Amino acid sequence: VLYMGYLWLVAGLALRGISLLTGRLPEITALHAITVGALGCLSIGMMTRVALGHTGRSLKAGRIMSTALLTVNVAALLRMCAPSLLSLAALLWALAFVLYLVKFVPVHLGPLRVD
């Protein structure tokens, strides 16, 4: 998933360049690719990796976190491609972080273990 976050960053910077050079693309599109896409993917990805690694668990995301990561990417695509669906994109982005909490609050509050 970290690669996906970096891909969003590259896409956002490329979109920013296109926007500045041509003026045919709103700059806000690039900003959303960087913030919603890159920041969202990298945050969820690193928090998941650190939470699993520092508690002695194997570095496998599982179904809940895979859903959260997919949700972040869908939110970023909606935010960029369908500005009229801003509320849905925001809801999906927030849902991804709620899924993280559902999965990892018990992990952070529980004992360390080795898989």
Side-chain angles (χ1 to χ4, degrees):
V1 72
L2 297 178
Y3 293 119
M4 191 63 174
Y6 291 128
L7 182 63
W8 275 112
L9 182 59
V10 169
L13 293 173
L15 290 170
R16 172 96 167 125
I18 291 168
S19 174
L20 292 174
L21 292 173
T22 67
R24 295 182 182 186
L25 183 71
E27 287 185 48
I28 196 76
T29 302
L31 181 65
H32 285 124
I34 293 169
T35 56
V36 179
L39 183 65
C41 281
L42 292 170
S43 295
I44 290 274
M46 283 306 298
M47 289 189 315
T48 299
R49 183 177 174 83
V50 169
L52 291 172
H54 285 235
T55 58
R57 291 167 171 78
S58 63
L59 299 178
K60 295 180 182 174
R63 181 174 283 161
I64 291 175
M65 289 316 300
S66 294
T67 302
L69 297 167
L70 177 65
T71 304
V72 165
N73 285 292
V74 170
L77 284 172
L78 282 176
R79 188 62 193 107
M80 289 176 47
C81 301
S84 62
L85 298 176
L86 170 63
S87 296
L88 178 59
L91 182 67
L92 289 173
W93 204 77
L95 176 63
F97 287 90
V98 168
L99 289 172
Y100 174 85
L101 289 174
V102 166
K103 174 69 178 176
F104 285 104
V105 164
V107 169
H108 290 301
L109 297 178
L112 298 179
R113 72 172 209 211
V114 177
D115 284 340

XYZ file of all heavy atoms in Angstrom:
853
model
N 0.814 -1.190 0.000
C 0.000 0.000 0.000
C 0.863 1.262 0.000
O 0.444 2.295 -0.492
C -0.982 -0.002 1.169
C -0.276 0.231 2.496
C -2.025 1.059 0.973
N 2.062 1.161 0.533
C 2.925 2.337 0.525
C 3.254 2.755 -0.900
O 3.341 3.941 -1.203
C 4.194 2.068 1.333
C 3.959 1.789 2.816
C 5.265 1.495 3.518
C 3.227 2.926 3.476
N 3.387 1.766 -1.777
C 3.635 2.091 -3.184
C 2.450 2.853 -3.777
O 2.630 3.745 -4.596
C 3.912 0.827 -3.998
C 5.197 0.149 -3.617
C 5.203 -1.143 -3.120
C 6.416 0.808 -3.757
C 6.385 -1.765 -2.765
C 7.605 0.195 -3.401
C 7.578 -1.094 -2.907
O 8.754 -1.699 -2.555
N 1.258 2.487 -3.358
C 0.068 3.189 -3.844
C 0.082 4.639 -3.355
O -0.271 5.560 -4.095
C -1.196 2.469 -3.372
C -2.433 2.955 -4.022
S -2.331 2.630 -5.791
C -3.936 3.112 -6.298
N 0.493 4.847 -2.132
C 0.614 6.208 -1.607
C 1.620 7.029 -2.388
O 1.383 8.192 -2.721
N 2.753 6.404 -2.701
C 3.762 7.108 -3.502
C 3.258 7.366 -4.917
O 3.564 8.399 -5.516
C 5.076 6.322 -3.534
C 5.774 6.292 -2.202
C 6.180 5.092 -1.643
C 6.012 7.465 -1.498
C 6.814 5.063 -0.412
C 6.648 7.444 -0.266
C 7.049 6.239 0.274
O 7.671 6.216 1.483
N 2.473 6.447 -5.452
C 1.883 6.646 -6.773
C 0.933 7.841 -6.761
O 0.928 8.651 -7.695
C 1.159 5.383 -7.236
C 0.547 5.427 -8.620
C 1.628 5.616 -9.684
C -0.231 4.146 -8.884
N 0.148 7.978 -5.689
C -0.733 9.144 -5.558
C 0.090 10.426 -5.502
O -0.299 11.451 -6.059
C -1.609 9.037 -4.308
C -2.851 8.248 -4.511
C -3.149 7.042 -3.959
C -3.972 8.601 -5.324
N -4.383 6.627 -4.383
C -4.911 7.565 -5.214
C -4.276 9.694 -6.128
C -6.135 7.592 -5.882
C -5.485 9.715 -6.794
C -6.399 8.683 -6.667
N 1.219 10.382 -4.819
C 2.070 11.566 -4.730
C 2.606 11.948 -6.107
O 2.566 13.114 -6.501
C 3.223 11.306 -3.757
C 4.173 12.464 -3.508
C 3.439 13.678 -2.954
C 5.275 12.021 -2.562
N 3.084 10.969 -6.848
C 3.582 11.226 -8.208
C 2.456 11.774 -9.089
O 2.646 12.745 -9.828
C 4.188 9.944 -8.811
C 4.469 10.106 -10.291
C 5.451 9.554 -8.061
N 1.277 11.143 -8.996
C 0.132 11.604 -9.794
C -0.234 13.039 -9.430
O -0.502 13.870 -10.308
C -1.064 10.674 -9.586
N -0.252 13.337 -8.141
C -0.584 14.692 -7.704
C 0.405 15.731 -8.200
O 0.016 16.808 -8.652
N 1.684 15.397 -8.141
C 2.694 16.338 -8.623
C 2.620 16.494 -10.141
O 2.792 17.602 -10.661
C 4.081 15.889 -8.182
C 4.325 15.950 -6.670
C 5.665 15.323 -6.318
C 4.223 17.374 -6.159
N 2.350 15.395 -10.836
C 2.181 15.480 -12.297
C 0.956 16.325 -12.644
O 1.012 17.172 -13.548
C 2.052 14.087 -12.895
N -0.130 16.131 -11.925
C -1.334 16.934 -12.162
C -1.089 18.407 -11.852
O -1.590 19.289 -12.547
C -2.497 16.402 -11.328
C -3.055 15.051 -11.748
C -4.027 14.521 -10.700
C -3.734 15.148 -13.104
N -0.302 18.656 -10.835
C 0.051 20.049 -10.503
C 0.837 20.681 -11.645
O 0.592 21.823 -12.026
C 0.873 20.066 -9.217
C 1.444 21.404 -8.872
C 0.579 22.127 -7.902
N 1.335 23.260 -7.383
C 0.896 24.495 -7.433
N -0.279 24.751 -7.927
N 1.623 25.466 -6.953
N 1.784 19.935 -12.200
C 2.552 20.438 -13.339
C 1.671 20.699 -14.542
O 1.792 21.739 -15.201
N 0.763 19.776 -14.826
C -0.170 19.954 -15.950
C -1.030 21.189 -15.720
O -1.249 21.986 -16.634
C -1.038 18.697 -16.140
C -0.177 17.535 -16.648
C -2.204 18.965 -17.075
C -0.869 16.179 -16.588
N -1.484 21.352 -14.499
C -2.322 22.505 -14.173
C -1.566 23.817 -14.377
O -2.109 24.769 -14.949
C -2.795 22.395 -12.725
O -3.481 23.552 -12.342
N -0.339 23.859 -13.920
C 0.445 25.089 -14.051
C 0.845 25.378 -15.495
O 0.885 26.534 -15.910
C 1.693 25.006 -13.176
C 1.444 25.025 -11.667
C 2.747 24.783 -10.914
C 0.808 26.334 -11.236
N 1.143 24.325 -16.249
C 1.595 24.520 -17.625
C 0.471 24.803 -18.606
O 0.654 25.558 -19.562
C 2.385 23.293 -18.092
C 3.736 23.082 -17.405
C 4.337 21.757 -17.821
C 4.683 24.232 -17.698
N -0.673 24.184 -18.385
C -1.748 24.319 -19.368
C -2.900 25.190 -18.894
O -3.600 25.769 -19.720
C -2.322 22.941 -19.753
O -2.989 22.373 -18.619
C -1.234 22.018 -20.257
N -3.138 25.229 -17.611
C -4.275 25.973 -17.092
C -5.607 25.299 -17.355
O -6.662 25.858 -17.067
N -5.596 24.086 -17.884
C -6.839 23.380 -18.228
C -7.351 22.475 -17.113
O -8.411 21.883 -17.238
C -6.632 22.541 -19.481
C -6.366 23.374 -20.693
C -6.220 22.520 -21.901
N -5.923 23.358 -23.054
C -5.844 22.922 -24.264
N -6.032 21.641 -24.518
N -5.565 23.747 -25.256
N -6.583 22.358 -16.070
C -6.948 21.478 -14.965
C -6.940 22.299 -13.687
O -5.971 23.026 -13.419
C -5.918 20.341 -14.867
C -6.145 19.279 -13.826
C -7.343 18.401 -14.218
C -4.910 18.411 -13.704
N -7.991 22.209 -12.882
C -7.984 22.960 -11.624
C -6.857 22.480 -10.711
O -6.626 21.276 -10.579
C -9.340 22.647 -11.002
C -10.161 22.027 -12.068
C -9.224 21.465 -13.082
N -6.163 23.403 -10.095
C -5.063 23.036 -9.192
C -5.553 22.210 -8.014
O -4.805 21.403 -7.463
C -4.359 24.292 -8.684
C -3.505 24.969 -9.728
C -2.724 26.134 -9.146
O -2.103 25.958 -8.079
O -2.753 27.198 -9.766
N -6.799 22.397 -7.640
C -7.349 21.670 -6.495
C -7.379 20.164 -6.754
O -7.291 19.370 -5.825
C -8.750 22.215 -6.123
C -9.153 21.769 -4.730
C -9.797 21.795 -7.126
C -8.465 22.524 -3.643
N -7.455 19.763 -8.010
C -7.426 18.333 -8.351
C -6.096 17.724 -7.928
O -6.052 16.642 -7.335
C -7.651 18.135 -9.858
O -8.901 18.723 -10.206
C -7.667 16.671 -10.228
N -5.022 18.413 -8.210
C -3.696 17.940 -7.811
C -3.564 17.912 -6.292
O -3.026 16.957 -5.720
C -2.620 18.832 -8.416
N -4.073 18.932 -5.651
C -4.006 18.997 -4.198
C -4.735 17.823 -3.558
O -4.253 17.227 -2.592
C -4.580 20.321 -3.700
C -4.546 20.529 -2.194
C -3.112 20.601 -1.704
C -5.306 21.791 -1.833
N -5.877 17.462 -4.111
C -6.634 16.333 -3.556
C -5.941 15.003 -3.813
O -6.030 14.084 -3.000
C -8.062 16.333 -4.084
C -8.895 17.390 -3.454
N -9.567 18.344 -4.182
C -9.134 17.684 -2.165
C -10.191 19.151 -3.360
N -9.936 18.779 -2.129
N -5.271 14.871 -4.932
C -4.512 13.636 -5.186
C -3.415 13.485 -4.126
O -3.176 12.384 -3.621
C -3.908 13.654 -6.579
N -2.783 14.593 -3.785
C -1.701 14.547 -2.795
C -2.248 14.354 -1.383
O -1.757 13.508 -0.628
C -0.836 15.816 -2.881
C -0.095 15.833 -4.224
C 0.146 15.893 -1.715
C 0.590 17.145 -4.538
N -3.262 15.110 -1.019
C -3.741 15.063 0.366
C -4.648 13.865 0.640
O -4.426 13.120 1.582
C -4.467 16.368 0.742
O -5.527 16.608 -0.188
C -3.507 17.536 0.740
N -5.665 13.681 -0.155
C -6.602 12.580 0.090
C -5.973 11.246 -0.298
O -6.032 10.279 0.457
C -7.934 12.790 -0.673
C -8.881 11.629 -0.443
C -8.587 14.100 -0.253
N -5.332 11.195 -1.458
C -4.745 9.952 -1.932
C -3.442 9.599 -1.248
O -3.334 8.586 -0.560
N -2.424 10.437 -1.427
C -1.096 10.122 -0.887
C -1.085 10.143 0.634
O -0.631 9.189 1.269
C -0.058 11.098 -1.437
N -1.574 11.212 1.215
C -1.562 11.317 2.669
C -2.416 10.219 3.304
O -2.016 9.610 4.298
C -2.047 12.697 3.109
C -2.011 12.970 4.597
C -0.576 12.969 5.089
C -2.657 14.306 4.894
N -3.575 9.958 2.723
C -4.448 8.911 3.258
C -3.816 7.538 3.187
O -3.780 6.798 4.177
N -3.303 7.167 2.016
C -2.679 5.841 1.847
C -1.435 5.682 2.710
O -1.257 4.644 3.359
C -2.301 5.616 0.385
S -3.668 5.137 -0.644
N -0.580 6.685 2.700
C 0.651 6.576 3.482
C 0.365 6.550 4.983
O 1.015 5.816 5.731
C 1.612 7.703 3.120
C 2.200 7.621 1.709
C 2.947 8.897 1.353
C 3.102 6.408 1.570
N -0.614 7.320 5.425
C -0.955 7.323 6.851
C -1.503 5.971 7.290
O -1.017 5.373 8.256
C -1.993 8.410 7.162
O -1.458 9.673 6.932
N -2.510 5.498 6.596
C -3.114 4.204 6.950
C -2.080 3.085 6.812
O -1.981 2.206 7.661
C -4.335 3.909 6.046
C -5.486 4.841 6.381
C -4.773 2.469 6.166
C -6.390 4.403 7.483
N -1.312 3.116 5.749
C -0.319 2.068 5.519
C 0.747 2.029 6.599
O 1.078 0.958 7.121
N 1.289 3.187 6.950
C 2.340 3.214 7.967
C 1.783 2.924 9.359
O 2.428 2.225 10.146
C 3.055 4.571 7.970
C 4.047 4.739 6.839
S 5.287 3.424 6.732
C 6.126 3.584 8.295
N 0.611 3.432 9.666
C 0.030 3.143 10.980
C -0.224 1.645 11.132
O 0.020 1.074 12.193
C -1.264 3.934 11.182
C -1.052 5.409 11.368
S -2.508 6.364 11.848
C -3.788 5.777 10.779
N -0.694 1.017 10.065
C -0.937 -0.421 10.105
C 0.365 -1.175 10.285
O 0.484 -2.058 11.143
C -1.636 -0.873 8.803
O -2.892 -0.194 8.697
C -1.859 -2.370 8.795
N 1.349 -0.835 9.491
C 2.643 -1.525 9.553
C 3.300 -1.360 10.924
O 3.801 -2.317 11.512
C 3.550 -0.978 8.456
C 4.882 -1.653 8.374
C 5.692 -1.093 7.213
N 7.016 -1.633 7.202
C 7.360 -2.808 6.686
N 6.430 -3.560 6.152
N 8.598 -3.217 6.718
N 3.291 -0.157 11.456
C 3.913 0.104 12.749
C 3.144 -0.602 13.864
O 3.751 -1.207 14.754
C 4.013 1.625 13.001
C 4.407 1.931 14.433
C 5.006 2.247 12.031
N 1.830 -0.538 13.828
C 1.032 -1.187 14.871
C 1.269 -2.696 14.885
O 1.401 -3.300 15.950
C -0.448 -0.887 14.667
N 1.316 -3.299 13.722
C 1.558 -4.743 13.660
C 2.983 -5.081 14.080
O 3.205 -5.986 14.888
C 1.282 -5.267 12.243
C -0.172 -5.253 11.799
C -0.285 -5.606 10.322
C -1.015 -6.193 12.648
N 3.940 -4.371 13.523
C 5.340 -4.668 13.810
C 5.738 -4.429 15.252
O 6.435 -5.235 15.861
N 5.268 -3.353 15.850
C 5.671 -3.007 17.209
C 4.942 -3.816 18.260
O 5.289 -3.747 19.439
C 5.469 -1.510 17.458
C 6.518 -0.677 16.798
N 7.288 0.225 17.484
C 6.940 -0.607 15.515
C 8.134 0.816 16.653
N 7.933 0.320 15.443
N 3.916 -4.554 17.867
C 3.224 -5.419 18.819
C 3.556 -6.884 18.582
O 2.920 -7.762 19.141
C 1.693 -5.205 18.750
O 1.235 -5.453 17.422
C 1.318 -3.804 19.191
N 4.538 -7.135 17.714
C 5.003 -8.492 17.510
C 4.134 -9.339 16.601
O 4.222 -10.561 16.607
N 3.289 -8.710 15.810
C 2.423 -9.448 14.899
C 3.033 -9.482 13.504
O 3.879 -8.664 13.164
C 1.043 -8.811 14.866
C 0.282 -8.999 16.170
C -0.931 -8.093 16.236
N -1.787 -8.404 17.356
C -1.554 -8.045 18.605
N -0.472 -7.368 18.902
N -2.394 -8.359 19.575
N 2.571 -10.431 12.691
C 3.075 -10.501 11.315
C 2.522 -9.324 10.513
O 1.427 -8.830 10.785
C 2.689 -11.827 10.663
O 1.289 -11.930 10.569
N 3.276 -8.907 9.519
C 2.916 -7.725 8.728
C 1.955 -8.090 7.603
O 2.265 -7.929 6.424
C 4.179 -7.063 8.173
C 5.177 -6.569 9.213
C 6.408 -5.991 8.544
C 4.539 -5.558 10.145
N 0.773 -8.544 7.967
C -0.282 -8.853 7.007
C -1.487 -7.993 7.351
O -1.953 -7.988 8.490
C -0.655 -10.335 7.074
C 0.480 -11.237 6.644
C 0.090 -12.689 6.730
C 1.284 -13.539 6.340
N 1.027 -14.959 6.539
N -1.987 -7.294 6.359
C -3.049 -6.313 6.612
C -4.364 -6.955 7.043
O -5.045 -6.456 7.918
C -3.274 -5.451 5.377
N -4.768 -8.020 6.435
C -6.043 -8.640 6.769
C -7.203 -7.975 6.051
O -7.049 -6.972 5.348
N -8.379 -8.535 6.229
C -9.568 -8.087 5.499
C -10.009 -6.672 5.873
O -10.316 -5.863 5.002
C -10.707 -9.076 5.735
C -11.970 -8.694 4.988
C -13.032 -9.728 5.114
N -12.676 -10.810 4.206
C -13.158 -12.037 4.279
N -14.007 -12.339 5.228
N -12.811 -12.944 3.413
N -10.024 -6.357 7.155
C -10.495 -5.028 7.587
C -9.582 -3.935 7.053
O -10.039 -2.921 6.517
C -10.611 -4.956 9.119
C -11.756 -5.846 9.609
C -10.830 -3.517 9.578
C -11.871 -5.930 11.113
N -8.285 -4.124 7.177
C -7.365 -3.083 6.727
C -7.287 -3.023 5.208
O -7.098 -1.943 4.646
C -5.978 -3.285 7.344
C -5.961 -2.988 8.834
S -6.849 -1.482 9.331
C -5.989 -0.223 8.450
N -7.458 -4.139 4.541
C -7.524 -4.094 3.072
C -8.728 -3.277 2.626
O -8.641 -2.495 1.681
C -7.602 -5.513 2.503
O -6.414 -6.210 2.771
N -9.834 -3.438 3.334
C -11.034 -2.643 3.036
C -10.771 -1.164 3.303
O -11.167 -0.300 2.520
C -12.223 -3.138 3.872
O -12.445 -4.517 3.583
C -13.487 -2.340 3.574
N -10.096 -0.868 4.399
C -9.775 0.530 4.727
C -8.889 1.149 3.646
O -9.111 2.283 3.227
C -9.089 0.608 6.084
N -7.919 0.400 3.191
C -7.007 0.914 2.160
C -7.734 1.124 0.838
O -7.516 2.120 0.146
C -5.840 -0.040 2.000
C -4.978 -0.163 3.263
C -4.043 -1.352 3.164
C -4.224 1.110 3.528
N -8.603 0.198 0.497
C -9.410 0.362 -0.711
C -10.317 1.586 -0.576
O -10.470 2.371 -1.519
C -10.235 -0.897 -0.970
C -11.174 -0.848 -2.161
C -10.387 -0.737 -3.463
C -12.061 -2.079 -2.188
N -10.890 1.770 0.591
C -11.793 2.889 0.835
C -11.074 4.231 0.678
O -11.627 5.174 0.110
C -12.406 2.764 2.241
O -13.051 1.492 2.345
C -13.427 3.835 2.503
N -9.852 4.332 1.148
C -9.075 5.565 0.987
C -8.860 5.860 -0.493
O -9.020 7.004 -0.935
C -7.717 5.467 1.721
C -6.774 6.553 1.270
C -7.919 5.549 3.204
N -8.513 4.842 -1.264
C -8.268 5.044 -2.692
C -9.532 5.439 -3.442
O -9.496 6.310 -4.307
C -7.638 3.790 -3.301
C -6.191 3.664 -2.924
O -5.366 4.450 -3.357
N -5.882 2.694 -2.085
N -10.651 4.823 -3.103
C -11.921 5.186 -3.736
C -12.288 6.625 -3.377
O -12.737 7.397 -4.231
C -13.046 4.199 -3.349
C -14.402 4.699 -3.800
C -12.758 2.819 -3.916
N -12.065 6.992 -2.121
C -12.351 8.368 -1.695
C -11.518 9.367 -2.495
O -12.024 10.408 -2.926
C -12.085 8.526 -0.200
N -10.254 9.052 -2.703
C -9.383 9.958 -3.466
C -9.856 10.076 -4.909
O -9.899 11.180 -5.466
C -7.942 9.469 -3.415
N -10.198 8.955 -5.518
C -10.696 9.000 -6.899
C -11.986 9.802 -7.005
O -12.147 10.612 -7.920
C -10.926 7.580 -7.426
C -9.682 6.808 -7.816
C -10.044 5.361 -8.135
C -8.984 7.459 -8.990
N -12.896 9.589 -6.062
C -14.151 10.350 -6.072
C -13.887 11.837 -5.889
O -14.495 12.670 -6.563
C -15.082 9.865 -4.955
C -15.841 8.584 -5.200
C -16.625 8.206 -3.952
C -16.779 8.724 -6.389
N -12.988 12.164 -4.994
C -12.708 13.575 -4.716
C -12.119 14.276 -5.929
O -12.387 15.436 -6.184
C -11.752 13.680 -3.519
C -11.571 15.085 -3.043
C -12.903 15.640 -2.563
N -12.837 17.055 -2.383
C -13.407 17.954 -3.193
N -14.103 17.572 -4.230
N -13.305 19.231 -2.947
N -11.326 13.543 -6.685
C -10.703 14.144 -7.862
C -11.630 14.154 -9.067
O -11.673 15.127 -9.809
C -9.439 13.364 -8.233
C -8.312 13.554 -7.279
S -6.917 12.521 -7.701
C -6.769 12.808 -9.438
N -12.345 13.077 -9.282
C -13.098 12.895 -10.528
C -14.568 13.288 -10.429
O -15.214 13.473 -11.462
C -13.004 11.438 -10.979
S -11.319 10.893 -11.258
N -15.091 13.354 -9.233
C -16.513 13.671 -9.076
C -16.684 14.681 -7.940
O -17.111 14.315 -6.836
C -17.307 12.396 -8.800
N -16.360 15.944 -8.186
C -16.455 16.953 -7.126
C -17.853 17.062 -6.517
O -17.984 17.465 -5.369
C -16.071 18.252 -7.829
C -15.312 17.843 -9.033
C -15.843 16.496 -9.427
N -18.859 16.670 -7.253
C -20.222 16.745 -6.717
C -20.449 15.702 -5.622
O -21.412 15.803 -4.865
C -21.244 16.553 -7.837
O -21.095 15.269 -8.415
N -19.562 14.721 -5.529
C -19.687 13.677 -4.511
C -18.735 13.911 -3.339
O -18.233 12.958 -2.730
C -19.439 12.302 -5.136
C -20.428 11.880 -6.222
C -20.021 10.553 -6.825
C -21.834 11.813 -5.660
N -18.509 15.163 -3.023
C -17.601 15.532 -1.941
C -17.988 14.852 -0.628
O -17.140 14.312 0.075
C -17.585 17.050 -1.754
C -16.878 17.582 -0.506
C -15.407 17.231 -0.553
C -17.089 19.068 -0.374
N -19.257 14.870 -0.293
C -19.700 14.278 0.974
C -19.426 12.782 1.020
O -18.989 12.256 2.050
C -21.196 14.533 1.186
O -21.430 15.903 1.307
N -19.662 12.095 -0.075
C -19.397 10.656 -0.121
C -17.899 10.383 0.008
O -17.483 9.479 0.741
C -19.939 10.046 -1.412
C -19.691 8.547 -1.598
C -20.304 7.746 -0.457
C -20.219 8.091 -2.947
N -17.092 11.174 -0.667
C -15.638 11.010 -0.576
C -15.162 11.238 0.857
O -14.342 10.475 1.371
C -14.934 11.962 -1.533
N -15.677 12.263 1.498
C -15.296 12.548 2.881
C -15.742 11.426 3.812
O -14.992 11.018 4.712
C -15.906 13.873 3.321
N -16.934 10.921 3.600
C -17.444 9.815 4.412
C -16.571 8.568 4.252
O -16.218 7.907 5.237
C -18.889 9.511 4.025
C -19.575 8.404 4.808
C -19.768 8.827 6.258
C -20.906 8.063 4.172
N -16.201 8.250 3.027
C -15.357 7.078 2.781
C -13.979 7.243 3.404
O -13.425 6.305 3.984
C -15.232 6.816 1.281
C -16.486 6.299 0.590
C -16.269 6.241 -0.914
C -16.894 4.950 1.135
N -13.417 8.444 3.302
C -12.103 8.696 3.877
C -12.149 8.526 5.390
O -11.289 7.884 5.983
C -11.628 10.092 3.487
C -10.151 10.284 3.515
C -9.254 9.860 2.581
C -9.392 10.970 4.510
N -7.982 10.248 2.939
C -8.034 10.932 4.117
C -9.724 11.624 5.695
C -7.021 11.502 4.856
C -8.705 12.200 6.435
C -7.368 12.135 6.014
N -13.175 9.093 6.006
C -13.326 8.956 7.459
C -13.582 7.500 7.847
O -13.059 7.015 8.862
C -14.469 9.847 7.943
N -14.357 6.782 7.049
C -14.640 5.377 7.309
C -13.357 4.548 7.347
O -13.207 3.647 8.171
C -15.598 4.816 6.249
C -15.903 3.321 6.340
C -16.616 2.992 7.647
C -16.731 2.882 5.145
N -12.418 4.861 6.490
C -11.151 4.133 6.473
C -10.441 4.260 7.820
O -9.915 3.273 8.345
C -10.263 4.651 5.346
N -10.454 5.444 8.393
C -9.785 5.637 9.675
C -10.591 5.038 10.822
O -10.019 4.577 11.817
C -9.482 7.123 9.897
C -8.354 7.595 9.022
C -8.600 8.099 7.759
C -7.044 7.488 9.445
C -7.562 8.502 6.929
C -5.992 7.889 8.632
C -6.243 8.394 7.367
N -11.908 4.996 10.700
C -12.740 4.300 11.693
C -12.430 2.806 11.655
O -12.321 2.160 12.703
C -14.243 4.572 11.454
C -15.114 3.641 12.280
C -14.563 6.031 11.773
N -12.266 2.247 10.461
C -11.899 0.834 10.346
C -10.553 0.565 11.004
O -10.357 -0.466 11.651
C -11.879 0.399 8.877
C -13.237 0.296 8.197
C -13.065 0.043 6.698
C -14.076 -0.789 8.835
N -9.617 1.484 10.850
C -8.334 1.354 11.526
C -8.544 1.283 13.039
O -7.978 0.422 13.721
C -7.396 2.514 11.177
C -6.127 2.466 11.992
C -5.059 1.677 11.578
C -6.011 3.165 13.183
C -3.899 1.600 12.344
C -4.865 3.086 13.953
C -3.820 2.301 13.530
O -2.689 2.209 14.293
N -9.363 2.187 13.555
C -9.629 2.195 14.998
C -10.280 0.893 15.455
O -9.904 0.339 16.489
C -10.511 3.382 15.376
C -9.855 4.749 15.310
C -10.879 5.848 15.564
C -8.713 4.843 16.308
N -11.253 0.416 14.699
C -11.929 -0.830 15.048
C -10.932 -1.980 15.126
O -10.978 -2.807 16.035
C -13.052 -1.146 14.030
C -13.543 -2.572 14.160
C -14.192 -0.155 14.180
N -10.025 -2.021 14.190
C -9.044 -3.099 14.135
C -7.943 -2.952 15.176
O -7.532 -3.921 15.803
C -8.431 -3.160 12.726
C -7.301 -4.125 12.562
C -7.757 -5.553 12.646
C -6.572 -6.493 12.420
N -6.944 -7.862 12.592
N -7.450 -1.731 15.395
C -6.222 -1.577 16.162
C -6.361 -1.036 17.574
O -5.394 -1.099 18.335
C -5.204 -0.755 15.372
C -4.597 -1.549 14.273
C -4.987 -1.356 12.963
C -3.669 -2.536 14.542
C -4.451 -2.112 11.935
C -3.122 -3.303 13.528
C -3.509 -3.090 12.226
N -7.511 -0.540 17.980
C -7.654 -0.163 19.392
C -7.446 -1.392 20.269
O -6.679 -1.332 21.238
C -9.002 0.547 19.663
C -9.320 0.579 21.144
C -8.958 1.965 19.110
N -8.070 -2.545 19.961
C -7.789 -3.734 20.788
C -6.320 -4.163 20.736
O -5.773 -4.630 21.733
C -8.678 -4.821 20.178
C -9.747 -4.094 19.454
C -9.116 -2.816 18.973
N -5.678 -3.985 19.595
C -4.266 -4.351 19.465
C -3.409 -3.460 20.360
O -2.527 -3.940 21.083
C -3.806 -4.237 17.990
C -2.297 -4.355 17.877
C -4.500 -5.288 17.144
N -3.666 -2.155 20.335
C -2.867 -1.225 21.136
C -3.124 -1.381 22.627
O -2.233 -1.147 23.443
C -3.145 0.220 20.724
C -2.602 0.566 19.377
N -1.269 0.470 19.066
C -3.212 1.008 18.248
C -1.071 0.834 17.816
N -2.244 1.168 17.293
N -4.331 -1.768 22.998
C -4.664 -1.903 24.412
C -4.388 -3.303 24.953
O -4.381 -3.496 26.168
C -6.142 -1.546 24.643
C -6.520 -0.099 24.322
C -7.999 0.114 24.545
C -5.682 0.888 25.114
N -4.133 -4.243 24.059
C -3.894 -5.622 24.477
C -2.424 -5.919 24.702
O -1.557 -5.055 24.538
N -2.137 -7.156 25.065
C -0.754 -7.555 25.322
C 0.035 -7.719 24.013
O -0.533 -7.936 22.958
C -0.894 -8.904 26.017
C -2.192 -9.442 25.506
C -3.069 -8.249 25.292
N 1.350 -7.633 24.136
C 2.221 -7.928 22.996
C 2.190 -9.421 22.743
O 2.010 -10.207 23.653
C 3.655 -7.488 23.295
C 3.890 -6.008 23.537
C 5.357 -5.769 23.850
C 3.484 -5.193 22.322
N 2.374 -9.814 21.489
C 2.420 -11.230 21.192
C 3.317 -11.475 19.981
O 3.621 -10.559 19.228
C 1.037 -11.793 20.940
C 0.432 -11.371 19.633
C -0.841 -12.134 19.408
N -1.035 -12.261 17.975
C -2.200 -12.313 17.411
N -3.273 -12.298 18.135
N -2.310 -12.426 16.118
N 3.723 -12.693 19.838
C 4.550 -13.084 18.702
C 3.776 -14.131 17.927
O 3.352 -15.135 18.478
C 5.904 -13.652 19.162
C 6.712 -14.113 17.977
C 6.657 -12.621 19.973
N 3.547 -13.859 16.624
C 2.824 -14.827 15.776
C 3.730 -15.935 15.343
O 4.854 -15.805 15.046
C 2.253 -14.137 14.534
C 1.021 -13.317 14.873
O 0.415 -13.565 15.919
O 0.701 -12.411 14.086
